[in-house]
Amino acid sequence: MAIQAINQATQMPKANTQQNVNFNGFLDSKAFEAVAEFAGKNSATFNAASSLLMAGVLRPAAIMALPAKDEQEQKNKGIAAAHAIASGLIGFAITSTVMKPISAGLSKVMGNTEKYLPKLHEKMQQNPLLEKNVKKVMQFGPDIILAVPRALLTSKLSHVVEGALFGKKKKAAKAEAAAPQLAAQPVQQVQSERPVLDGFKGGSK
Amino acid sequence: MNISPINSAVTSPKSNVNFNGIMDKMAEGVAKGYSKVGNTDTFCKAMDKLGGSDKLMLHLSTASSAVTSGLYIYKNLTDKKKTKNEKITSALNQALTFGISTALSYGVSSALGKASKNLCGKFGEAVSKRGYDQKKIDMLKDGAKNAIDLVVCSSINRFVVPVAVTPVANKLGAKLCNYLDAKDAAKAAKA
């Protein structure tokens, strides 16, 4: 439904509906141009920051805003939110460190296929789809290899995030459970009829 | 619908000289590595077979997601710090997110791509009337494509599906957990 709506909004003639006018108005606006300019000039920062914002902030916030039937559902939501934050942070770290030289190396290869890929160069010149697919295979190769450490690191970090963000509630719940036992002790002490004997801790001679 | 982090990683022209020197050396090393792999007979034969596929990128993206999601599911199910309910719910959450995202990628990726292209085209038309030079127009078009792709395509896999799946996984996890508990209790009663 959403896709149909987007298609309709983009394919309808300009003056057909007020909604379409507003949509085109947004694309024509200076605000969108400013976003496009920032994204065009700083594509790496824009992609990494927007991914981090989406996975690390908006997604966990939306998950935590969902209603929970009981304490277990609330806890499961916390786990899902912590996983989203950890995944966003690890993705950002990998993108801004390991992937940079790999991406730069791939740009070099695709910019000079005659030097780096002599066996495929001629075929790629004749077939642009082949060139596109060679680039994609080379992009996803390291991505698939890095998926293993990425998943393991995300799994570790999600425990840390969960403990940091939702650990207080757990501690508070434990403290509440322990509170009645602690409160019972002073009452017993007050009721004792042998305060001197109770306080005596010496050994027998 | 490409969500590979390699797309986001581009060298910054603003970096200092020493860093660029190191980056250049690293990039050259990576390029030589790619060259070695890319000129092997196996790679060339594989590209002869697969090179004409217009859905290759989608298959690769799915393979990458399958490895990551598979590992998340395994790590969740073997996590000793989690209770039975938490293990099952987290694993279900991952599995459902992967399944629905993949189904959507194969089912509607071309429609989403079309919608994104339409919006980019409209923005390009609007920008070309503003009297900018061609370099700035190209830069703005690239930026608009990034922003529109993010909203139209990436947000579905990274935001909409994971959020929508969470309450479903919670309910299914609780039901599955109760079912398994009942089964265990029945076994124990028989014994």
Side-chain angles (χ1 to χ4, degrees):
Chain A
M1 286 297 283
I3 299 145
Q4 282 175 350
I6 292 166
N7 275 337
Q8 280 171 3
T10 53
Q11 284 164 4
M12 265 189 264
K14 264 191 176 180
N16 261 4
T17 60
Q18 185 62 38
Q19 192 187 358
N20 195 39
V21 172
N22 290 339
F23 205 57
N24 283 337
F26 176 68
L27 286 178
D28 286 343
S29 69
K30 281 277 170 193
F32 185 72
E33 191 185 312
V35 172
E37 192 168 355
F38 179 79
K41 278 183 182 168
N42 314 282
S43 59
T45 313
F46 178 79
N47 284 335
S50 55
S51 299
L52 185 63
L53 180 76
M54 204 179 280
V57 180
L58 297 178
R59 186 169 138 190
I63 288 172
M64 290 314 288
L66 291 168
K69 195 175 68 184
D70 51 34
E71 202 182 317
Q72 184 61 60
E73 275 197 7
Q74 187 66 26
K75 213 173 164 192
N76 288 338
K77 278 197 323 180
I79 292 170
H83 174 85
I85 294 169
S87 148
L89 288 172
I90 295 291
F92 182 78
I94 287 180
T95 303
S96 40
T97 55
V98 186
M99 282 300 181
K100 273 199 170 186
I102 293 175
S103 180
L106 183 59
S107 295
K108 271 197 167 190
V109 172
M110 297 316 290
N112 192 354
T113 49
E114 200 175 356
K115 180 186 169 188
Y116 292 106
L117 299 172
K119 284 190 180 175
L120 288 166
H121 173 70
E122 262 186 42
K123 284 179 189 171
M124 285 198 286
Q125 291 284 308
Q126 290 161 2
N127 185 359
L129 183 63
L130 177 68
E131 186 179 0
K132 192 181 153 193
N133 280 337
V134 167
K135 189 180 175 186
K136 290 295 166 198
V137 169
M138 289 189 163
Q139 267 185 358
F140 276 96
D143 201 37
I144 291 171
I145 295 166
L146 282 170
V148 178
R150 190 182 174 161
L152 298 176
L153 285 171
T154 302
S155 193
K156 287 262 179 217
L157 186 63
S158 67
H159 281 300
V160 178
V161 174
E162 197 198 337
L165 292 182
F166 310 106
K168 279 182 186 172
K169 281 185 183 174
K170 276 183 196 169
K171 278 179 191 168
K174 274 182 188 173
E176 272 178 30
Q181 290 171 359
L182 290 170
Q185 283 175 349
V187 175
Q188 281 177 348
Q189 281 172 1
V190 170
Q191 286 172 345
S192 174
E193 289 174 6
R194 303 180 304 169
V196 178
L197 287 173
D198 286 347
F200 180 70
K201 285 174 184 170
S204 58
K205 285 180 184 176
Chain B
M1 198 73 75
N2 183 7
I3 52 167
S4 165
I6 200 168
N7 288 344
S8 317
V10 184
T11 46
S12 166
K14 286 178 185 171
S15 307
N16 63 43
V17 178
N18 286 338
F19 183 70
N20 271 347
I22 295 166
M23 272 299 285
D24 277 346
K25 278 182 187 171
M26 287 168 87
E28 185 58 37
V30 171
K32 280 180 183 167
Y34 271 131
S35 179
K36 270 188 187 174
V37 176
N39 287 311
T40 56
D41 288 340
T42 317
F43 187 83
C44 292
K45 275 180 191 169
M47 287 319 298
D48 278 342
K49 277 188 181 176
L50 303 167
S53 166
D54 55 348
K55 284 199 171 175
L56 185 64
M57 196 193 94
L58 206 53
H59 300 326
L60 290 167
S61 179
T62 305
S64 173
S65 297
V67 173
T68 316
S69 300
L71 277 165
Y72 285 152
I73 292 168
Y74 173 75
K75 288 297 285 180
N76 277 318
L77 288 173
T78 54
D79 194 336
K80 286 174 185 170
K81 289 178 185 169
K82 285 180 180 155
T83 62
K84 193 177 178 184
N85 182 303
E86 288 163 5
K87 281 180 191 176
I88 291 172
T89 305
S90 304
L92 270 173
N93 198 329
Q94 293 298 333
L96 285 171
T97 303
F98 170 70
I100 294 171
S101 296
T102 306
L104 281 175
S105 297
Y106 279 94
V108 296
S109 69
S110 60
L112 288 173
K114 228 182 216 176
S116 175
K117 215 175 178 179
N118 261 329
L119 292 170
C120 289
K122 284 193 183 293
F123 177 75
E125 278 171 28
V127 158
S128 56
K129 289 173 193 165
R130 289 177 196 169
Y132 299 139
D133 60 76
Q134 193 56 42
K135 200 179 170 188
K136 186 166 183 182
I137 291 173
D138 288 344
M139 183 269 290
L140 284 172
K141 277 184 180 174
D142 275 351
K145 192 181 179 306
N146 267 349
I148 291 168
D149 275 351
L150 181 84
V151 175
V152 177
C153 305
S154 306
S155 64
I156 291 177
N157 282 342
R158 288 180 178 170
F159 180 75
V160 179
V161 174
V163 172
V165 145
T166 301
V168 180
N170 268 346
K171 289 205 165 58
L172 284 178
K175 277 190 182 174
L176 188 59
C177 206
N178 287 341
Y179 169 76
L180 291 173
D181 283 345
K183 212 175 170 184
D184 286 347
K187 261 187 190 176
K190 268 187 187 177

